[in-house]
Amino acid sequence: IWHHYVEILDAKTKDKLCFLDKVRPPPRVCVHPQWYPARQSIRLDPKGKSLKDEDVLQQLPVGTTATFYFRDLGAQISWVTVFLTEYTGPLIIYLLFYFRVPFIYAPKYDFTTSKHWVVHLACMCHSFHYVKRLLETLFVHRFSHGTMPLRNIFKNCTYYWGFAAWMAYYINHPLYTPPMYGEQQVTIALMIFLFCQIGNFSIHIALRNLRPPGSKTRKIPYPTKNPFTWVFLLVSCPNYTYELGSWLGFTMMTQCLPVAFFTFVGFVQMTVWAKGKHRSYLKEFRDYPTLRSPILPFIL
């Protein structure tokens, strides 16, 4: 029987944490039993990537004596909890401004409503967007990683909650003025928003169907019979493409500078994510379609 000798060192100090003698497959190591597994990272190189749960010792590029490095990832929190928290905030915060609760605007405007119909439409679109995100988190998304660092929830919530308050303050302000081109501009913007929301949902369903329940299997996403998924022919991450389109429509609908800034910042962040996922696809799949761009067809 083939045995392995496994040495585990601290990634920072290089101190020896433990030594396993005559390891037989399939070993499952917990370096610090007082910490839950999701908090512990085992890697081949101190600055390398964490090994996956499904990695097998016999298939790793190590000899009979293997050296691994341990790193504490810090307190972890589930992706579902993070998503529910960061999406519930904007939904509630926006409605507080929409209903003009006390201490936001002048007292004479407490619990009054706007005379502009676009303000009410914007509230419905914003609420629809985040309700959709919450429902997708609960019933659609399948996460390849179960947790993320706890500190991320504060960063994410600051981003989503802060921008929601900034946008809502101006859109629902008593002195807010409707878009320059009136009803025609709002109608076109609404069509763009709804089209992209349906497209985004369609992509999420297509991605969900690629991964069986409880699996971390990765496959190349291809267009399905749903026309909204045909953009997969040209883009690696069309969910981000549709998300960008939704916020461009919302920007056009409200003609509000904070919304435009939120759309721009979101576009920059989604571009970073899309490029990373695009590189990952190219690295993992040799037959990955070369015509695809990360987020914008033929551009970016």
Side-chain angles (χ1 to χ4, degrees), residues 37-48:
R39 180 169 177 162
Q40 305 185 43
S41 168
I42 303 295
R43 52 192 72 184
L44 291 172
D45 184 86
K47 297 182 180 180

PDB file of all heavy atoms in Angstrom, residues 37-48:
ATOM      1  N   PRO A  37     -13.976  23.961   9.484  1.00  0.00           N
ATOM      2  CA  PRO A  37     -13.195  23.734   8.248  1.00  0.00           C
ATOM      3  C   PRO A  37     -13.191  24.908   7.278  1.00  0.00           C
ATOM      4  O   PRO A  37     -12.182  25.167   6.622  1.00  0.00           O
ATOM      5  CB  PRO A  37     -13.863  22.501   7.642  1.00  0.00           C
ATOM      6  CG  PRO A  37     -14.439  21.767   8.812  1.00  0.00           C
ATOM      7  CD  PRO A  37     -14.891  22.838   9.772  1.00  0.00           C
ATOM      8  N   ALA A  38     -14.326  25.622   7.162  1.00  0.00           N
ATOM      9  CA  ALA A  38     -14.387  26.711   6.188  1.00  0.00           C
ATOM     10  C   ALA A  38     -13.402  27.828   6.497  1.00  0.00           C
ATOM     11  O   ALA A  38     -13.053  28.619   5.614  1.00  0.00           O
ATOM     12  CB  ALA A  38     -15.813  27.278   6.148  1.00  0.00           C
ATOM     13  N   ARG A  39     -12.951  27.896   7.741  1.00  0.00           N
ATOM     14  CA  ARG A  39     -12.016  28.948   8.133  1.00  0.00           C
ATOM     15  C   ARG A  39     -10.569  28.574   7.807  1.00  0.00           C
ATOM     16  O   ARG A  39      -9.680  29.425   7.791  1.00  0.00           O
ATOM     17  CB  ARG A  39     -12.159  29.226   9.637  1.00  0.00           C
ATOM     18  CG  ARG A  39     -11.231  30.306  10.158  1.00  0.00           C
ATOM     19  CD  ARG A  39     -11.596  30.720  11.556  1.00  0.00           C
ATOM     20  NE  ARG A  39     -10.648  31.707  12.072  1.00  0.00           N
ATOM     21  CZ  ARG A  39     -10.876  32.505  13.110  1.00  0.00           C
ATOM     22  NH1 ARG A  39     -12.022  32.433  13.767  1.00  0.00           N
ATOM     23  NH2 ARG A  39      -9.964  33.365  13.517  1.00  0.00           N
ATOM     24  N   GLN A  40     -10.321  27.316   7.509  1.00  0.00           N
ATOM     25  CA  GLN A  40      -8.962  26.823   7.327  1.00  0.00           C
ATOM     26  C   GLN A  40      -8.632  26.641   5.846  1.00  0.00           C
ATOM     27  O   GLN A  40      -9.407  26.073   5.084  1.00  0.00           O
ATOM     28  CB  GLN A  40      -8.791  25.489   8.066  1.00  0.00           C
ATOM     29  CG  GLN A  40      -9.150  25.585   9.541  1.00  0.00           C
ATOM     30  CD  GLN A  40      -8.866  24.298  10.280  1.00  0.00           C
ATOM     31  OE1 GLN A  40      -7.826  23.680  10.078  1.00  0.00           O
ATOM     32  NE2 GLN A  40      -9.787  23.887  11.135  1.00  0.00           N
ATOM     33  N   SER A  41      -7.475  27.143   5.480  1.00  0.00           N
ATOM     34  CA  SER A  41      -6.993  27.016   4.102  1.00  0.00           C
ATOM     35  C   SER A  41      -5.715  26.192   4.082  1.00  0.00           C
ATOM     36  O   SER A  41      -4.763  26.484   4.811  1.00  0.00           O
ATOM     37  CB  SER A  41      -6.726  28.401   3.505  1.00  0.00           C
ATOM     38  OG  SER A  41      -6.010  28.295   2.290  1.00  0.00           O
ATOM     39  N   ILE A  42      -5.699  25.153   3.240  1.00  0.00           N
ATOM     40  CA  ILE A  42      -4.509  24.339   3.033  1.00  0.00           C
ATOM     41  C   ILE A  42      -4.045  24.559   1.600  1.00  0.00           C
ATOM     42  O   ILE A  42      -4.838  24.468   0.664  1.00  0.00           O
ATOM     43  CB  ILE A  42      -4.793  22.843   3.264  1.00  0.00           C
ATOM     44  CG1 ILE A  42      -5.351  22.625   4.682  1.00  0.00           C
ATOM     45  CG2 ILE A  42      -3.536  22.026   3.062  1.00  0.00           C
ATOM     46  CD1 ILE A  42      -4.375  22.947   5.788  1.00  0.00           C
ATOM     47  N   ARG A  43      -2.755  24.855   1.425  1.00  0.00           N
ATOM     48  CA  ARG A  43      -2.239  25.148   0.094  1.00  0.00           C
ATOM     49  C   ARG A  43      -0.852  24.563  -0.101  1.00  0.00           C
ATOM     50  O   ARG A  43      -0.154  24.250   0.879  1.00  0.00           O
ATOM     51  CB  ARG A  43      -2.234  26.663  -0.138  1.00  0.00           C
ATOM     52  CG  ARG A  43      -1.543  27.449   0.967  1.00  0.00           C
ATOM     53  CD  ARG A  43      -1.819  28.935   0.857  1.00  0.00           C
ATOM     54  NE  ARG A  43      -3.199  29.260   1.225  1.00  0.00           N
ATOM     55  CZ  ARG A  43      -3.735  30.486   1.143  1.00  0.00           C
ATOM     56  NH1 ARG A  43      -3.005  31.478   0.702  1.00  0.00           N
ATOM     57  NH2 ARG A  43      -4.980  30.703   1.482  1.00  0.00           N
ATOM     58  N   LEU A  44      -0.455  24.408  -1.364  1.00  0.00           N
ATOM     59  CA  LEU A  44       0.858  23.840  -1.685  1.00  0.00           C
ATOM     60  C   LEU A  44       1.974  24.870  -1.548  1.00  0.00           C
ATOM     61  O   LEU A  44       3.128  24.523  -1.303  1.00  0.00           O
ATOM     62  CB  LEU A  44       0.863  23.279  -3.106  1.00  0.00           C
ATOM     63  CG  LEU A  44       0.016  22.031  -3.345  1.00  0.00           C
ATOM     64  CD1 LEU A  44      -0.045  21.707  -4.830  1.00  0.00           C
ATOM     65  CD2 LEU A  44       0.588  20.846  -2.576  1.00  0.00           C
ATOM     66  N   ASP A  45       1.616  26.136  -1.727  1.00  0.00           N
ATOM     67  CA  ASP A  45       2.582  27.233  -1.640  1.00  0.00           C
ATOM     68  C   ASP A  45       2.062  28.259  -0.645  1.00  0.00           C
ATOM     69  O   ASP A  45       0.853  28.506  -0.604  1.00  0.00           O
ATOM     70  CB  ASP A  45       2.764  27.876  -3.024  1.00  0.00           C
ATOM     71  CG  ASP A  45       3.823  28.963  -3.017  1.00  0.00           C
ATOM     72  OD1 ASP A  45       5.008  28.639  -3.177  1.00  0.00           O
ATOM     73  OD2 ASP A  45       3.455  30.145  -2.826  1.00  0.00           O
ATOM     74  N   PRO A  46       2.923  28.863   0.153  1.00  0.00           N
ATOM     75  CA  PRO A  46       2.450  29.825   1.162  1.00  0.00           C
ATOM     76  C   PRO A  46       1.593  30.940   0.587  1.00  0.00           C
ATOM     77  O   PRO A  46       0.670  31.423   1.238  1.00  0.00           O
ATOM     78  CB  PRO A  46       3.751  30.376   1.761  1.00  0.00           C
ATOM     79  CG  PRO A  46       4.763  29.319   1.508  1.00  0.00           C
ATOM     80  CD  PRO A  46       4.388  28.680   0.217  1.00  0.00           C
ATOM     81  N   LYS A  47       1.893  31.361  -0.648  1.00  0.00           N
ATOM     82  CA  LYS A  47       1.140  32.442  -1.273  1.00  0.00           C
ATOM     83  C   LYS A  47       0.244  31.942  -2.406  1.00  0.00           C
ATOM     84  O   LYS A  47      -0.307  32.737  -3.161  1.00  0.00           O
ATOM     85  CB  LYS A  47       2.106  33.500  -1.814  1.00  0.00           C
ATOM     86  CG  LYS A  47       2.941  34.176  -0.727  1.00  0.00           C
ATOM     87  CD  LYS A  47       3.855  35.249  -1.314  1.00  0.00           C
ATOM     88  CE  LYS A  47       4.681  35.923  -0.221  1.00  0.00           C
ATOM     89  NZ  LYS A  47       5.583  36.966  -0.790  1.00  0.00           N
ATOM     90  N   GLY A  48       0.106  30.634  -2.502  1.00  0.00           N
ATOM     91  CA  GLY A  48      -0.707  30.057  -3.567  1.00  0.00           C
ATOM     92  C   GLY A  48      -2.184  30.008  -3.224  1.00  0.00           C
ATOM     93  O   GLY A  48      -2.622  30.518  -2.187  1.00  0.00           O
TER      94      GLY A  48
END
